[in-house]
Amino acid sequence: MRILVTGGAGFIGSHIVDALITQGHEVIVVDNLTSGRKENINPAARFYFMDICSPEMEEVFRKEKPELVNHHAAQIDVRRSVADPHEDARVNIVGLLNLLKNCVRYGVKGFIFASSGGVVYGEPTELPVKEGYPKGPLSPYGVSKLASEYYLYCFAQVHGLPYITLRYGNVYGPRQDPHGEAGVVAIFGNKMLKGETPTIYGDGEQLRDYVYVQDVVKANLLAMEKLAKKSYPSLGKGIDGLAYNIGTGKGTSVNELFHLLKKVIGYQGEAIYGPTRAGELKRIYLDCSKAWQELGWRAEVKLEEGLKHTVQSLTPEIR
């Protein structure tokens, strides 16, 4: 199958590209390298250095004729979205619409969308959160992800474009940027390994659902199989019928995460505490039973094991 992966030079996207190529698929990568890295791109993929908002995306579709699009290119930083909601919407909404327009024009047969189970539900009162829980995003990033799900639903209804949404927890693992604004595991790990002091924002009791990147890759492969078999969920169930939470079903506090990393690395210091960040949720973790029932997917990598793999990727000398 010919598959276009947007954000295929990025953290999650590059792992998906590797898995697709291992399976024998023909892969096209589009990435503007804002946060992706060229060294992450599998040499067997065809690479286009391009912004997903560019009119030149049409030429990629015309030339490559992808059968499926796996969409991981995004502005992913909650704080950046609060500071510049216009740019967040440009990338996450206008970029999506540019892709969808070309999907319809060039006969794409399926679309996999990376949404965020960490932001679309808002601050839930019931945990773990199921897909049907009322939505209430508290950041422009969350709004853009939820709006994207509705656009996908609209294009499915109006144009017949099949899609599946994967609502991720906090994904971590090798290739996550330790110098970025998002990705606490890589950021903390990098600082500890350099003997620097990590900063925990707020009281550190915020709960998050940390899911290892290779588990996320498997969810994408299973979603692709479901689309290929034309057995995707009914449109009659709305956006939640077409969405799957992808997480572990367990909440881990930032304080607990810090101490687990401290143990893995052998770090002797303590964290410092900073002010709570705007738009940040207090508690979120996901009920992923639907993904098991309908995709045959569940998270398999335990947190401490995943942290060890991540730390090894940050430090070649530890391998």
Side-chain angles (χ1 to χ4, degrees):
M1 185 180 288
R2 284 189 309 282
I3 303 169
L4 170 61
V5 181
T6 69
F11 163 43
I12 302 172
S14 64
H15 284 285
I16 292 169
V17 170
D18 289 348
L20 291 172
I21 287 172
T22 297
Q23 287 192 344
H25 297 287
E26 191 177 343
V27 181
I28 305 101
V29 169
V30 168
D31 201 301
N32 67 0
L33 301 181
T34 297
S35 56
R37 302 173 66 181
K38 199 163 185 177
E39 53 265 39
N40 288 345
I41 302 170
N42 192 301
R46 291 194 292 282
F47 172 57
Y48 290 84
F49 174 62
M50 191 175 296
D51 191 310
I52 57 171
C53 297
S54 171
E56 295 176 7
M57 279 301 308
E58 181 175 1
E59 179 61 18
V60 176
F61 278 83
R62 187 197 65 77
K63 181 179 178 182
E64 299 290 352
K65 295 181 174 56
E67 299 167 80
L68 183 138
V69 172
N70 184 298
H71 181 37
H72 275 76
Q75 192 298 112
I76 63 169
D77 192 316
V78 169
R79 284 175 290 169
R80 193 174 299 165
S81 80
V82 171
D84 192 354
H86 182 275
E87 176 63 11
D88 183 86
R90 184 192 76 82
V91 176
N92 291 348
I93 297 177
V94 176
L96 172 76
L97 289 173
N98 193 30
L99 294 173
L100 293 180
K101 174 186 70 177
N102 285 299
C103 284
V104 172
R105 183 171 296 166
Y106 291 95
V108 170
K109 298 174 183 176
F111 197 102
I112 294 174
F113 176 60
S115 188
S116 174
V119 296
V120 298
Y121 300 110
E123 192 73 68
T125 57
E126 299 172 13
L127 292 166
V129 182
K130 292 180 178 288
E131 286 84 355
Y133 188 84
K135 311 304 178 289
L138 299 177
S139 67
Y141 171 62
V143 171
S144 70
K145 284 296 187 183
L146 184 57
S148 295
E149 292 195 33
Y150 278 107
Y151 273 117
L152 281 158
Y153 183 78
C154 173
F155 270 71
Q157 290 277 17
V158 175
H159 300 289
L161 175 64
Y163 79 95
I164 286 176
T165 292
L166 301 176
R167 294 177 183 159
Y168 298 155
N170 281 47
V171 187
Y172 71 98
R175 300 181 193 165
Q176 192 167 34
D177 184 4
H179 306 291
E181 297 298 323
V184 65
V185 171
I187 294 169
F188 279 11
N190 186 60
K191 282 187 173 293
M192 289 181 188
L193 288 163
K194 291 163 65 177
E196 298 175 359
T197 304
T199 300
I200 294 174
Y201 293 93
D203 62 7
E205 289 304 302
Q206 306 95 312
L207 295 179
R208 295 292 183 269
D209 192 334
Y210 295 98
V211 57
Y212 189 61
V213 67
Q214 289 301 333
D215 280 332
V216 170
V217 169
K218 291 174 186 174
N220 277 265
L221 298 178
L222 289 167
M224 185 182 78
E225 289 177 16
K226 197 169 184 69
L227 284 173
K229 293 175 182 175
K230 300 183 179 179
S231 62
Y232 52 90
S234 166
L235 286 171
K237 298 179 181 178
I239 62 168
D240 296 326
L242 296 151
Y244 296 93
N245 287 336
I246 302 299
T248 65
K250 180 179 183 291
T252 301
S253 73
V254 178
N255 287 329
E256 184 181 354
L257 181 74
F258 171 78
H259 286 292
L260 282 171
L261 271 170
K262 185 175 176 178
K263 177 182 173 184
V264 168
I265 292 170
Y267 181 70
Q268 299 300 313
E270 296 296 335
I272 58 173
Y273 288 80
T276 301
R277 297 181 294 193
E280 185 173 45
L281 303 182
K282 186 66 178 174
R283 303 186 310 152
I284 185 79
Y285 52 96
L286 307 174
D287 184 321
C288 304
S289 56
K290 183 185 171 196
W292 172 244
Q293 293 162 6
E294 298 186 13
L295 295 179
W297 178 90
R298 63 169 51 143
E300 297 176 351
V301 179
K302 303 299 182 186
L303 182 55
E304 191 163 349
E305 178 189 351
L307 293 178
K308 288 177 182 176
H309 293 318
T310 306
V311 167
Q312 288 170 359
S313 74
L314 290 169
T315 55
E317 67 273 12
I318 294 178
R319 292 177 189 170

